[in-house]
Amino acid sequence: MAPLTLTITRPDDWHLHLRDGSALNTVVPHTASQFARAIVMPNLKPPVTTAALALEYQQRILDAVPAGMQFEPLMTLYLTDNINPAEIAIAKAAGVVAAKLYPAGATTNSDAGVTDIKKIYPVLEAMQKHGMLLLVHGEVTNQDIDLFDREAVFIDQHLEPLRRDFPGLKIVFEHITTQEAAQYVQEANENLAATLTVHHLMFNRNAIFTGGIRPHYYCLPVLKREKHRLALLQAATSGDARFFLGTDSAPHAAQLKEHSSGCAGCYTAPAAMAMYAQVFANAGALHQLEAFASFNGADFYGLARNRSTLTLVQEDEMQPESYPYADAQLKPLLGGQTLSWRLA
Ligand code: NCD
Ligand code: ZN
């Protein structure tokens, strides 16, 4: 019997870390082989804080796209306490589509992030006026709040006041990980959406501790309990247009993850669409994959849907254990394991 195939409008990745320099040569082709566009996160060292830096970075990414592949990096600005509100109009005119709010210290390369959201109110005002989206890493950073509770606390302490003060601002609650976040988005208006990673749809927090500590399952926001995974899966497969695909694929050299103080971030780009297809198929919701992966994000961002297609095949394929990555190794999540879908 011929294997099941699924052809969908070519998807986009609405939350992606590509890094810089020679790392781009490894990671850009992985994403470009599946996705037409991606929202590129600005948390470089130093961060992408101006339109000029974003355009230079965009060109370095384009230079790493293999000949014959089509890929459009959509650029974002990194918000700091000191960003000049005038930069928003300049960035918008340069084609930058969004700005990212990292609470200072919340995650990898977020030291320059915002220490108090009130400090960037003039910038948010400018974003609301110019129609630039706000992308939020929704976790509080207080050390006295339990790590597993930081997303839920962020909703009450920061997201709710922010939405009240800027009702016209379009906000993406990035990589949500909890039932509270899924429910909050479901009950909110059309100006709030959320991205969902494939690892948060596939795994609960047990994965980090199965048979020993497994650093490749460590990301931020950290994996949560099974009831949260189920709530995210329900949201992703519900047909609600405000949930869409964002891998948060976040490459780190293997030796920096397999470390006494290992980096946060799961590298899922190489087999991202195979993994999402597996998740949706197992949930009996393959018919919802195209809207989730290819329509909802573009619609929310106000961008045209893609016209080309991507075909997936339900057939076993073993993932490579690692890839060369500058002078190190990069280990994908589920590397060396067999996935039940592959690209045609
Ligand atoms: C990301 C990274 O490594 O840049 N890490 C992660 O665990 N997701 C940063 C982020 O998106 O939080
Ligand atoms: Zn991220």
Side-chain angles (χ1 to χ4, degrees):
M1 208 174 72
L4 179 62
T5 68
L6 178 71
T7 297
I8 59 172
T9 300
R10 203 164 178 84
D12 302 304
D13 185 348
W14 299 98
H15 185 124
L16 177 67
H17 300 269
L18 290 174
R19 313 307 186 204
D20 206 349
S22 57
L24 294 173
N25 298 322
T26 301
V27 304
V28 170
H30 289 159
T31 289
S33 68
Q34 302 153 75
F35 298 97
R37 297 172 289 198
I39 288 284
V40 180
M41 287 296 129
N43 62 331
L44 302 182
K45 287 185 233 175
V48 180
T49 49
T50 65
L53 288 170
L55 291 182
E56 286 165 26
Y57 182 33
Q58 184 176 44
Q59 190 56 53
R60 295 194 296 279
I61 296 166
L62 287 171
D63 291 343
V65 177
M69 280 192 194
Q70 297 288 321
F71 177 65
E72 185 186 357
L74 301 170
M75 306 313 289
T76 61
L77 284 194
Y78 183 111
L79 296 173
T80 68
D81 285 352
N82 304 317
I83 181 168
N84 183 345
E87 191 65 24
I88 297 301
I90 297 168
K92 177 80 185 177
V96 171
V97 295
K100 178 76 189 273
L101 168 62
Y102 287 103
T107 186
T108 308
N109 296 347
S110 66
D111 302 346
V114 173
T115 59
D116 177 355
I117 297 179
K118 285 263 158 31
K119 289 192 177 163
I120 60 160
Y121 263 37
V123 176
L124 298 175
E125 201 71 63
M127 290 174 62
Q128 181 172 256
K129 177 172 160 209
H130 293 287
M132 184 175 289
L133 276 74
L134 177 69
L135 314 182
V136 180
H137 182 111
E139 286 191 290
V140 294
T141 53
N142 320 33
Q143 292 306 309
D144 49 344
I145 308 271
D146 191 279
L147 182 80
F148 292 93
D149 297 335
R150 288 181 191 172
E151 183 174 277
V153 172
F154 183 89
I155 298 171
D156 296 334
Q157 286 189 359
H158 300 293
L159 192 52
E160 180 63 21
L162 190 65
R163 292 185 51 238
R164 204 174 46 230
D165 292 345
F166 298 96
L169 183 63
K170 277 192 154 179
I171 301 175
V172 184
F173 194 173
E174 297 289 342
H175 44 51
I176 62 168
T177 63
T178 56
Q179 185 176 45
E180 288 87 345
Q183 191 179 341
Y184 184 74
V185 173
Q186 278 160 338
E187 290 169 0
N189 66 19
E190 70 285 354
N191 279 346
L192 184 68
T195 51
L196 289 157
T197 80
V198 74
H199 44 288
H200 289 98
L201 295 175
M202 260 190 181
F203 301 108
N204 64 40
R205 65 192 191 181
N206 288 347
I208 311 169
F209 307 103
T210 302
I213 191 148
R214 299 194 176 241
H216 294 283
Y217 290 87
Y218 173 56
C219 65
L220 288 171
V222 74
L223 293 172
K224 303 295 193 300
R225 286 178 180 277
E226 178 65 2
K227 71 165 186 186
H228 297 293
R229 186 188 73 86
L230 292 172
L232 302 176
L233 187 59
Q234 192 279 330
T237 59
S238 66
D240 184 328
R242 285 162 321 119
F243 294 100
F244 44 86
L245 185 156
T247 61
D248 195 20
S249 176
H252 292 277
Q255 80 264 20
L256 296 179
K257 289 195 62 70
E258 300 163 1
H259 188 277
S260 59
S261 174
C263 293
C266 297
Y267 187 57
T268 52
M273 283 310 299
M275 288 162 68
Y276 277 109
Q278 190 170 313
V279 166
F280 275 67
N282 289 345
L286 263 188
H287 60 287
Q288 298 284 12
L289 182 62
E290 183 176 44
F292 175 80
S294 315
F295 297 160
N296 298 348
D299 294 353
F300 189 78
Y301 273 77
L303 297 171
R305 294 178 182 182
N306 297 316
R307 297 221 255 174
S308 52
T309 59
L310 182 78
T311 299
L312 294 150
V313 185
Q314 190 174 36
E315 228 165 41
D316 285 357
E317 187 168 75
M318 162 99 97
Q319 267 213 97
E321 229 163 297
S322 71
Y323 298 95
Y325 184 60
D327 47 9
Q329 295 289 304
L330 177 58
K331 296 192 182 171
L333 194 67
L334 298 178
Q337 297 189 43
T338 299
L339 300 176
S340 55
W341 286 78
R342 61 173 180 81
L343 296 181

